[in-house]
Amino acid sequence: MLKEFSCGAVLFCNEDGIRKYVLVMEPNGLYGFPKGHVEGKESDIETARREIYEETGVNPIFIPNLKRTIRYKISPNDEKEVTYFVARFENEKLHIVDKNILGIKLLELDAALSLLKFPELRNILVETDYILNEKGE
């Protein structure tokens, strides 16, 4: 079995006391969190940092000890593992650097949930929002 590894983050900012999340439109037309493949000997967090910058143009500030990993089949013989950290950004303007990203949105929780097709991603976002509320982020 072939395994692919990707890393990214549930990326957010606070605007006027309202938490907003970043979603990117991938080449397949679906929205998700910024993420991408591990390159060379990068650590998971190095990959996430690079991919977030490439897809959003911002430098993330990671929230310690918050991450989720999901696994799913991409074909009968291939599996993908994606680790999502949680990160925020401040006082930076979102802009697409990677030409493979078709769009970028900054949305409140309910609007973000409505754009996510996969239940696993919606679950990660709901859990993250709950934890951030508990932490006072």
Side-chain angles (χ1 to χ4, degrees):
M1 176 170 295
L2 183 66
K3 261 188 133 168
E4 276 185 38
F5 297 94
S6 290
C7 300
V10 176
L11 182 64
F12 72 95
C13 70
N14 287 302
E15 283 187 349
D16 300 320
I18 298 171
R19 189 178 308 117
K20 294 186 177 180
Y21 295 97
V22 175
L23 297 182
V24 295
M25 183 189 287
E26 298 173 357
N28 61 10
L30 298 176
Y31 280 94
F33 306 119
K35 71 171 183 344
H37 292 99
V38 175
E39 293 181 1
K41 295 185 181 209
E42 285 179 324
S43 68
D44 288 353
I45 205 151
E46 289 169 334
T47 299
R49 183 178 309 283
R50 178 182 51 76
E51 287 292 339
I52 290 166
Y53 180 78
E54 289 175 2
E55 296 186 6
T56 69
V58 301
N59 295 295
I61 302 162
F62 291 94
I63 309 298
N65 304 317
L66 282 182
K67 70 178 182 179
R68 299 285 182 271
T69 299
I70 60 172
R71 292 169 192 83
Y72 54 91
K73 291 242 184 227
I74 52 178
S75 74
N77 295 317
D78 300 327
E79 184 177 271
K80 187 165 191 168
E81 180 176 296
V82 184
T83 298
Y84 290 106
F85 294 92
V86 178
R88 64 180 160 78
F89 68 99
E90 299 171 352
N91 305 316
E92 291 186 79
K93 186 164 175 63
L94 294 168
H95 64 279
I96 299 168
V97 176
D98 182 339
K99 65 184 184 311
N100 292 315
I101 297 302
L102 304 179
I104 190 166
K105 292 189 180 275
L106 183 61
L107 303 165
E108 292 182 39
L109 178 64
D110 289 341
L113 288 170
S114 72
L115 283 183
L116 294 171
K117 176 183 176 190
F118 298 108
E120 298 88 352
L121 295 182
R122 288 194 301 270
N123 290 343
I124 288 172
L125 184 53
V126 168
E127 287 176 13
T128 298
D129 192 72
Y130 176 83
I131 291 167
L132 292 173
N133 284 337
E134 292 295 306
K135 289 179 150 294
E137 279 286 338

